[in-house]
Amino acid sequence: MTVTEDRPTEAGGEIGRARRRKEDQRLITGRTRWTDNIQLPGMLHLAMVRSPFAHARITSIDTATAKAAPGVVAVVTGADVEGKQGLVATAWPLNAEQKTPDHLPIVVEHVACAGEIVAVVVARSAAAARDAAELVDVDYEELPAVLDLKEAATDEVLAHPDLGTNTSAVWTLDSAAQGSGTDVEEAIAKAREGGILIEREYRQQRLLPAFMEPRSTVCDPTGEQLTVWTSTQVPHILKFLVAATTGMPESKVRVIAPDVGGGFGGKLQTTPEEFATVAVARLVGKPCKYTETRSESLLSGHHGRDQWQKLTLAAEKDGTVTGLKVELLADLGAYVGLVGGGVPVLGAWMFNSIYKFDAYHFTVRTLLTNKTWVDAYRGAGRPEATYAIERLMDELAVEVGVDPLQIREKNWITHEEFPFTTVAGMTYDSGNYEAATARAKELFGYDELRAEQARRRESGDPVQLGIGISTFTEMCGLAPSRILGALNYAAGGWESASIRVLATGKVEVLTGTSPHGQGHETAWSQIVADRLGVPFEDVEVLHGDTQIASKGMDTYGSRSLVVGAEAVVRAADKVIEKAKPIAAHLLEASVDDIEFTGGRFGVKGTDKGLGMADVAIATWTGHNLPDGVEPSIDADATFDPENFSFPHGTHLCAMEVDTETGATTMRKYVCVDDIGTIINPLIVEGQVHGGLVQGISQALWEGAEYDEQGTLVTGSFVDYTLPTTADTISFVTDHTTSPSTYTKLGTKGVGEAGAIASTPAVVNAVVDAVRHLGVDDIVMPCTPERVWKAIQAGAAVTTEGERGAQPHFDEGAPNADPAAGLAEGSRQ
């Protein structure tokens, strides 16, 4: 159900109006300013010399030939900027015992993954720099590399020999220990004796964010201030870390994120390339630009997911869930990213999802390997958790012998029970899973498709139909500073906004969030126009420049609307309160008699009134203000929520599977999401569609693969399978609404919902189509080859009369226990 009209939901209202985005005009016409478009006088260009080895020691670097090449100004090694290049930092050490290897932008001696920067060529053109990079002669002593996650857990080969182990950290959440539930081992023992006990192992493959615009950085060190333009989601965080790790005064650092062409978490990072560009520009004393190639982006930009998951679910005979035990091995890659160590922990509160477990135990062991580092990717921990529990609920339904929706309805939190504190200790403030599911079933034609599925099975149709379900919730608005502090997160989660009412009545909004495609300029304009009663067109939103919007925590974790826009609302309310005394004075009335509605200050019981523009010009002139009132109605606000927000939804997917070839075809996809108050349905529709495609792509197509030497063999779009419009169908989307109780707007967040919910819905559908053939799992991505092999393996088992022990198809995976070596940790 696509919204295409600029129409309000009620006369004159901006909240809920499907406005086309302000940003689109300059983006579509090519009048935008990407970082790579920036040209500065005397600017030089950089090319990175990268290690071809996954693990090696640098024995020598010969730069003479490269320095003599045409157009080359300098060749810089790590030794040339040692102590001055900063450090790629982590903001989320899980505990004091965490092992965190130093991450130098330009390595000096030790290479821990292929693609690490070992030298930087500086030239007068990008082409000359790239050509000369081929002439830098680096000698390496290749070292044994650890590439497999389970093998890393054995410590037989070390990614960083100086650390003495591949284990970075162990972190545990225990419902019994924290008082939010009972002991999980007791629940498991009871289920083993007289209930249902399900143990499963799932693999979350490694993914590449593959954003549209490759990363680019321009640094100008001339003058008294260092200015950095960069394609980033986190300009404020980058500014702080450049200052903190190089020793530069923070007041002398300015970071600008111009238009940013997508990120999906892949630009939630302070990158080696950014620090290297800053270090080299300062060294040569001239503006420098680096723009990565697509192959560099896929190789050295951080990756996402990459977990082994072992789950044990305990239930009573009737399907009532009682306990859940989760054991994870999470691949960090070669280094601990900005929030990479904490990403699995974000999933810790979501494995229990919408279900009422009595006991819960979660343990994650984060491991270092000689692969590209892993950090947040759309959903960050929540998709991994949702996938596992939704796959597991289907397994429970099979054991009980009921429809998968029925087992979910039996165990979920009912709408009358909100607010509800889960077994993981998280309090969900609002929701209605029944309403979302009922609407999804209606739009999907659930009963009719189930009937068609039964007919196909009875007839032995070679193309079978499967129905997949995902009823999910997620924690959005990564923010509450006290909670983040309790989890050892280094920064706060608040957000800042300022509103300036200009003399002409126009309004400028300064926001600490930094968009990369979300439509902040449009949505923030709608919110302010609605709040202040000014025309939508009269609101200008400024962002992404740390010298203009000086305070902020940036954009990630579906926090922009839930946290950032709440700061905007509070700033707007302060504007109204500051303007009331001035309006009262001009209207010769008491402040207590002034009311503000529809953009006008009026005197109660009369028709006397002034518009916001009238108050703005009177304030600017300062000719007739009340005594003691300053000539300004501008306002600042900082919002730090008391809790996360919890959007939810029901996603239903129908997949056709050709049992003779393994080919899969999507027949229908319906999702009904509850994201609280909707500001702009058109933007929401776009966010949902994009998220759906990414989640579906993980289920069916995407996966980053390395060879035995640690070379990324899916390092181009020839080998890494991204979907096109030809590979997807038209989705049916709708919404139910249960507003958040923690915010004035009642919003919950939508940026990651599609990517979180869709992956298990698709895989559940594929497995459901062939479960009667002896298959209960297929490792993602569910390519035709993997589906076909799973069917053959299932047929072999059923032929031998072993239907009760269905095969877990796991192509090429080691047989070791994924939780082998998991040590007991403590919740920090």
Side-chain angles (χ1 to χ4, degrees):
M1 295 182 180
T2 303
V3 184
T4 57
E5 299 178 27
D6 285 1
R7 63 177 187 271
T9 54
E10 57 184 49
E14 283 292 342
I15 301 298
R17 186 169 183 173
R19 280 196 176 273
R20 290 176 174 85
R21 301 194 318 171
K22 286 184 173 183
E23 301 90 328
D24 290 345
Q25 176 67 25
R26 68 176 185 273
L27 294 172
I28 292 171
T29 59
R31 297 181 182 273
T32 188
R33 198 180 196 198
W34 310 112
T35 302
D36 192 44
N37 296 145
I38 294 169
Q39 301 293 330
L40 301 177
M43 187 173 69
L44 301 174
H45 297 264
L46 309 183
M48 307 299 172
V49 181
R50 299 181 182 275
S51 169
F53 297 107
H55 197 197
R57 185 177 293 110
I58 299 173
T59 57
S60 68
I61 302 179
D62 184 351
T63 62
T65 304
K67 286 180 177 178
V72 172
V73 174
V75 179
V76 180
T77 67
D80 296 327
V81 290
E82 196 163 9
K84 299 179 181 179
Q85 61 172 323
L87 198 66
V88 185
T90 178
W92 200 342
L94 292 185
N95 49 43
E97 294 75 33
Q98 176 171 299
K99 303 288 187 182
T100 308
D102 287 344
H103 191 178
L104 292 173
I106 309 172
V107 301
V108 178
E109 296 178 347
H110 180 242
V111 171
C113 63
E116 279 212 85
I117 302 168
V118 298
V120 181
V121 175
V122 188
R124 301 192 186 283
S125 71
R130 286 194 294 268
D131 288 344
E134 300 287 336
L135 303 176
V136 177
D137 188 7
V138 185
D139 283 336
Y140 298 92
E141 177 190 343
E142 192 172 0
L143 301 172
V146 57
L147 303 167
D148 181 82
L149 186 52
K150 292 182 179 180
E151 290 176 2
T154 68
D155 282 343
E156 291 181 8
V157 177
L158 299 178
H160 293 270
D162 59 308
L163 296 181
T165 179
N166 290 322
T167 298
S168 178
V170 176
W171 190 92
T172 294
L173 189 156
D174 187 339
S175 65
Q178 71 177 18
S180 58
T182 57
D183 182 71
V184 76
E185 296 300 338
E186 292 181 6
I188 290 172
K190 185 176 179 181
R192 183 175 286 112
E193 292 174 3
I196 296 173
L197 190 66
I198 299 175
E199 293 180 296
R200 292 292 186 268
E201 183 179 317
Y202 298 121
R203 180 73 167 109
Q204 281 282 325
Q205 78 269 41
R206 180 176 282 242
L207 300 175
L208 308 181
F211 30 74
M212 184 178 293
E213 176 210 14
R215 297 172 302 165
S216 181
T217 300
V218 174
C219 178
D220 184 0
T222 60
E224 294 186 1
Q225 187 179 52
L226 181 94
T227 303
V228 180
W229 294 262
T230 186
S231 180
T232 183
Q233 298 174 219
V234 290
H236 295 91
I237 292 173
L238 177 60
K239 175 190 175 185
F240 168 79
L241 287 175
V242 166
T245 64
T246 65
M248 295 182 64
E250 189 177 355
S251 60
K252 298 296 185 183
V253 179
R254 179 185 186 184
V255 176
I256 302 170
D259 284 307
V260 176
F264 312 122
K267 293 174 183 173
L268 164 62
Q269 205 57 256
T270 56
T271 70
E273 291 81 3
E274 287 167 334
F275 279 95
T277 303
V278 169
V280 171
R282 294 179 71 196
L283 181 68
V284 301
K286 290 183 177 293
C288 291
K289 178 195 287 186
Y290 167 73
T291 300
E292 68 186 3
T293 64
R294 181 59 69 181
S295 294
E296 285 180 298
S297 177
L298 299 180
L299 171 64
S300 61
H302 80 246
H303 297 170
R305 311 285 192 255
D306 209 344
Q307 291 181 3
W308 278 104
Q309 306 171 316
K310 181 180 180 181
L311 288 91
T312 305
L313 183 144
E316 296 176 359
K317 280 290 188 183
D318 67 352
T320 302
V321 296
T322 57
L324 180 65
K325 183 177 181 180
V326 178
E327 300 166 276
L328 300 186
L329 294 182
D331 193 347
L332 298 179
Y335 297 101
V336 185
L338 189 66
V339 296
V343 165
V345 170
L346 287 175
W349 291 277
M350 291 290 103
F351 277 91
N352 53 283
S353 190
I354 65 175
Y355 307 114
K356 295 182 286 188
F357 287 94
D358 297 322
Y360 177 59
H361 187 281
F362 170 95
T363 301
V364 60
R365 181 180 176 188
T366 58
L367 291 156
L368 297 160
T369 62
N370 294 118
K371 294 189 286 189
T372 300
W373 40 321
V374 172
D375 211 305
Y377 173 63
R378 198 170 190 170
R382 282 79 49 80
E384 296 91 316
T386 300
Y387 178 82
I389 188 61
E390 287 304 291
R391 290 285 296 110
L392 211 54
M393 293 305 287
D394 265 27
E395 298 303 304
L396 179 59
V398 171
E399 291 291 331
V400 179
V402 298
D403 186 276
L405 266 179
Q406 185 178 337
I407 206 71
R408 288 166 168 82
E409 293 167 359
K410 184 179 187 64
N411 287 288
W412 67 35
I413 305 158
T414 63
H415 70 276
E416 298 93 347
E417 294 177 284
F418 288 98
F420 185 90
T421 300
T422 72
V423 70
M426 194 67 72
T427 299
Y428 300 168
D429 63 321
S430 66
N432 192 327
Y433 309 138
E434 302 98 310
T437 302
R439 181 60 176 154
K441 286 182 66 177
E442 176 188 354
L443 293 171
F444 191 67
Y446 188 84
D447 294 336
E448 293 85 349
L449 285 169
R450 281 291 184 200
E452 180 184 342
Q453 179 187 50
R455 291 194 298 272
R456 289 197 185 192
R457 287 191 178 179
E458 290 170 5
S459 67
D461 193 326
V463 178
Q464 288 290 303
L465 179 66
I467 297 172
I469 300 163
S470 177
T471 51
F472 81 106
T473 189
E474 56 161 323
M475 50 189 284
C476 282
L478 187 64
S481 295
R482 290 185 179 182
I483 295 176
L484 295 178
L487 293 173
N488 240 26
Y489 187 71
W494 50 265
E495 198 45 78
S496 177
S498 299
I499 292 182
R500 300 192 294 227
V501 183
L502 306 181
T504 56
K506 312 297 184 182
V507 179
E508 290 179 341
V509 180
L510 284 64
T511 177
T513 61
S514 185
H516 45 281
Q518 293 89 342
H520 291 187
E521 293 175 30
T522 302
W524 276 219
S525 294
Q526 289 182 259
I527 291 166
V528 171
D530 197 83
R531 210 75 174 184
L532 298 184
V534 298
F536 169 81
E537 295 77 13
D538 287 354
V539 182
E540 186 78 17
V541 179
L542 307 176
H543 57 79
D545 185 336
T546 62
Q547 193 157 291
I548 294 175
S550 60
K551 295 190 298 181
M553 284 294 176
D554 304 319
T555 297
Y556 41 85
S558 295
R559 69 187 305 275
S560 293
L561 185 63
V562 179
V563 188
E566 281 297 312
V568 171
V569 167
R570 282 157 172 74
D573 289 346
K574 286 183 179 181
V575 166
I576 295 168
E577 292 306 310
K578 289 183 72 174
K580 277 184 177 180
I582 299 174
H585 181 76
L586 296 172
L587 292 167
E588 299 180 338
S590 167
V591 173
D592 295 336
D593 291 332
I594 297 297
E595 56 186 5
F596 181 76
T597 180
R600 289 185 63 78
F601 296 92
V603 181
K604 295 176 183 176
T606 74
D607 58 0
K608 295 173 61 178
L610 296 170
M612 182 64 74
D614 299 319
V615 177
I617 189 66
T619 303
W620 181 74
T621 63
H623 295 165
N624 185 21
L625 299 180
D627 292 340
V629 173
E630 63 180 5
S632 171
I633 56 174
D634 298 346
D636 303 328
T638 300
F639 177 63
D640 196 348
E642 61 184 275
N643 198 0
F644 301 99
S645 64
F646 301 96
H648 68 83
T650 298
H651 289 223
L652 301 176
C653 176
M655 295 291 295
E656 293 182 335
V657 177
D658 188 327
T659 60
E660 296 176 345
T661 66
T664 60
T665 304
M666 186 171 290
R667 166 88 169 271
K668 191 171 187 178
Y669 197 103
V670 168
C671 64
V672 176
D673 290 303
D674 187 329
I675 60 170
T677 303
I678 294 175
I679 304 300
N680 185 318
L682 188 60
I683 291 177
V684 166
E685 194 83 1
Q687 289 280 5
V688 170
H689 283 184
L692 289 178
V693 172
Q694 283 184 281
I696 292 166
S697 190
Q698 178 178 4
L700 298 178
W701 301 301
E702 291 188 49
E705 300 290 341
Y706 286 81
D707 65 16
E708 294 179 354
Q709 285 73 45
T711 300
L712 182 68
V713 296
T714 52
S716 76
F717 288 153
V718 173
D719 304 296
Y720 188 80
T721 309
L722 287 180
T724 68
T725 53
D727 299 307
T728 58
I729 64 172
S730 294
F731 310 119
V732 179
T733 66
D734 204 353
H735 302 277
T736 55
T737 302
S738 52
S740 169
T741 62
Y742 296 127
T743 59
K744 289 186 177 183
L745 288 172
T747 57
K748 291 184 175 182
V750 70
E752 296 164 304
I756 291 170
S758 58
T759 308
V762 173
V763 176
N764 278 341
V766 173
V767 172
D768 185 57
V770 294
R771 188 181 288 277
H772 65 294
L773 302 177
V775 179
D776 73 351
D777 193 28
I778 302 169
V779 173
M780 295 186 291
C782 299
T783 60
E785 180 185 11
R786 287 184 172 183
V787 173
W788 184 84
K789 286 184 176 180
I791 293 170
Q792 304 313 304
V797 171
T798 54
T799 299
E800 296 169 8
E802 299 175 6
R803 180 67 184 89
Q806 299 176 47
H808 298 283
F809 179 67
D810 190 354
E811 183 182 271
N815 293 321
D817 185 341
L822 276 169
E824 288 300 316
S826 59
R827 184 181 179 194
Q828 299 295 315

